[in-house]
Amino acid sequence: MFDFLYNSFLALTWQQVVMWVIGGVLIYLAIKKEMEPTLLLPLGFGTILVNIPFADAVTETGPLATLFNAGIANELFPLILFIGIGAMIDFGPVLSNPKLMLFGAAAQFGIFFTMCLASMFFPINDAAAIGIIGAADGPTAIAVAIKLGSKYLGAIMVAAYSYMALVPIIQPPVIKLLTTKKERLIRMPYRPGNVSKATRILFPIVITLVTGLFAPSAVSLVGFLMFGNLIRECGVLNSLSETAQKVLANLVTIFLGLTIAFQMEATKFLVPETLLILGLGLFAFVFDTAGGVLFAKLLNLFLKEKINPMIGAAGISAFPMSGRVVHKIGLEEDPQNFLLMQSIGVNVSGQIASVIAGGLILTFFM
């Protein structure tokens, strides 16, 4: 027994100790800063777990390997999580003002721009998987990376979820750099439309059908998201909708964090490519934000009733954080400028657009 303990200490490498520190930082951010705690805490603890020499959790028959094969290798966990996310989303603001969908599409610019930049350093499939970090949608990033067979899954996931949590820090400087004081003061009165129950029910079905016809590789991503929304809107499955939003989403997220940590072994993670992926992920978030803002400024050249260009930044899929960030900046500039409903509407459209963008990448590169 003592010989085995001695061997464990001898087998410990400085890289594994560094990964313990990284795991500790993730746990700190989850607890102290409350940054995506449901995911970052199990991810941080799992990172420590998989970097213990001779740990039984990471053997071929260990629990993490079993969970990885059962829920990540076949994309099951991310897709189940989409059901919970879909049940959380109210598409009412988008349905009452469909033009908000345009901003969601424009804010995906960073995905494709980053993919092109990443292709200078990585094989095209890995570059496409890295670009999807800009979707600001963890489950989409995971699903795309798995389907494309990227060997950088751990780094991609850490970048995607870390930057999602850092949206309140990343977005404001970009928004203020690209807008003037006058533009940030533009008021947008909210005019809620009357969205019928039939429209709310038909919307997820129609979106799934249209996406399936034009991008079959996106059917799983969009379909599970829209199924979750259908559970919410049908009106006869309220208890199931609440379960999907809370119990299901939280449970799967915990398993997701622990299981993705299986890819966080020191030999896989502590490589120069990881730092490059983190940098490219930040680049993608910045250019997604810029794409949405600049598109709104472009529309203002032709519109009589001007749009506050800040709402374009909410087109990334970090729901609802990005919408709240835009609303907060609006209130800082003018305490009577309420942009919450418009920005949340754009934010919701970004959720759909990011999933479709992930499906398009799969269609092109699978």
Side-chain angles (χ1 to χ4, degrees):
M1 176 180 177
F2 291 107
D3 288 341
F4 181 76
L5 182 62
Y6 183 66
N7 290 335
S8 296
F9 276 106
L10 288 179
L12 185 64
T13 65
W14 67 267
Q15 291 94 334
Q16 289 172 321
V17 174
V18 170
M19 293 306 295
W20 292 355
V21 174
I22 291 174
V25 169
L26 293 176
I27 293 173
Y28 170 81
L29 293 175
I31 297 174
K32 185 68 176 179
K33 302 298 182 181
E34 297 185 13
M35 292 170 56
E36 297 289 333
T38 311
L39 182 102
L40 290 189
L41 192 141
L43 180 60
F45 187 80
T47 299
I48 295 172
L49 195 66
V50 301
N51 285 284
I52 298 174
F54 307 124
D56 62 345
V58 294
T59 61
E60 290 186 4
T61 57
L64 290 185
T66 301
L67 281 172
F68 184 86
N69 292 329
I72 299 296
N74 59 8
E75 309 147 46
L76 185 60
F77 286 169
L79 293 178
I80 292 177
L81 184 56
F82 266 126
I83 297 176
I85 294 172
M88 298 177 194
I89 297 176
D90 178 11
F91 288 119
V94 174
L95 294 173
S96 64
N97 191 2
K99 69 181 181 182
L100 296 179
M101 291 286 289
L102 296 173
F103 299 105
Q108 309 310 311
F109 169 74
I111 295 175
F112 300 97
F113 194 45
T114 303
M115 182 184 69
C116 294
L117 182 62
S119 66
M120 299 170 61
F121 308 99
F122 298 93
I124 189 61
N125 274 25
D126 286 321
I130 292 166
I132 206 66
I133 293 172
D137 186 342
T140 299
I142 295 167
V144 171
I146 293 168
K147 281 195 171 185
L148 294 179
S150 176
K151 61 182 178 181
Y152 302 110
L153 177 60
I156 289 170
M157 180 176 175
V158 169
Y161 278 101
S162 297
Y163 291 138
M164 281 173 61
L166 291 172
V167 158
I169 296 173
I170 296 172
Q171 284 203 304
V174 180
I175 293 171
K176 291 179 180 179
L177 179 66
L178 295 175
T179 57
T180 64
K181 176 77 172 180
K182 183 178 179 180
E183 288 174 327
R184 294 194 293 273
L185 289 172
I186 294 175
R187 294 189 178 185
M188 296 179 64
Y190 179 60
R191 304 183 183 94
N194 184 21
V195 182
S196 67
K197 182 176 179 179
T199 300
R200 289 176 176 271
I201 292 173
L202 286 172
F203 181 73
I205 298 172
V206 171
I207 289 291
T208 303
L209 288 172
V210 172
T211 302
L213 292 173
F214 287 95
S217 296
V219 169
S220 295
L221 296 175
V222 175
F224 277 66
L225 180 72
M226 291 300 152
F227 175 66
N229 188 250
L230 184 60
I231 292 174
R232 173 195 177 99
E233 300 296 352
C234 69
V236 295
L237 295 172
N238 291 335
S239 61
L240 191 59
S241 174
E242 291 180 9
T243 299
Q245 293 179 46
K246 299 175 182 177
V247 178
L248 179 66
N250 289 334
L251 183 62
V252 174
T253 302
I254 289 172
F255 280 131
L256 198 62
L258 276 173
T259 309
I260 288 294
F262 184 65
Q263 298 291 304
M264 298 283 285
E265 291 182 82
T267 53
K268 298 178 182 177
F269 193 83
L270 290 181
V271 293
E273 289 85 352
T274 297
L275 291 177
L276 183 55
I277 289 170
L278 293 174
L280 288 167
L282 177 60
F283 184 87
F285 267 67
V286 169
F287 273 82
D288 273 348
T289 301
V293 172
L294 293 175
F295 179 73
K297 289 168 70 79
L298 177 64
L299 287 183
N300 276 345
L301 297 177
F302 308 98
L303 296 175
K304 290 183 178 179
E305 187 175 351
K306 304 301 182 183
I307 297 169
N308 190 314
M310 292 195 299
I311 70 167
I316 68 172
S317 182
F319 176 83
M321 289 174 289
S322 187
R324 291 173 178 169
V325 166
V326 170
H327 176 60
K328 183 179 178 181
I329 297 174
L331 290 178
E332 288 173 355
E333 299 290 338
D334 175 3
Q336 300 302 314
N337 193 7
F338 299 100
L339 298 171
L340 183 61
M341 294 308 296
Q342 292 90 341
S343 60
I344 289 294
V346 173
N347 209 178
V348 167
S349 72
Q351 182 75 63
I352 301 174
S354 67
V355 175
I356 293 175
L360 289 174
I361 285 179
L362 291 176
T363 300
F364 293 146
F365 297 107
M366 277 188 65

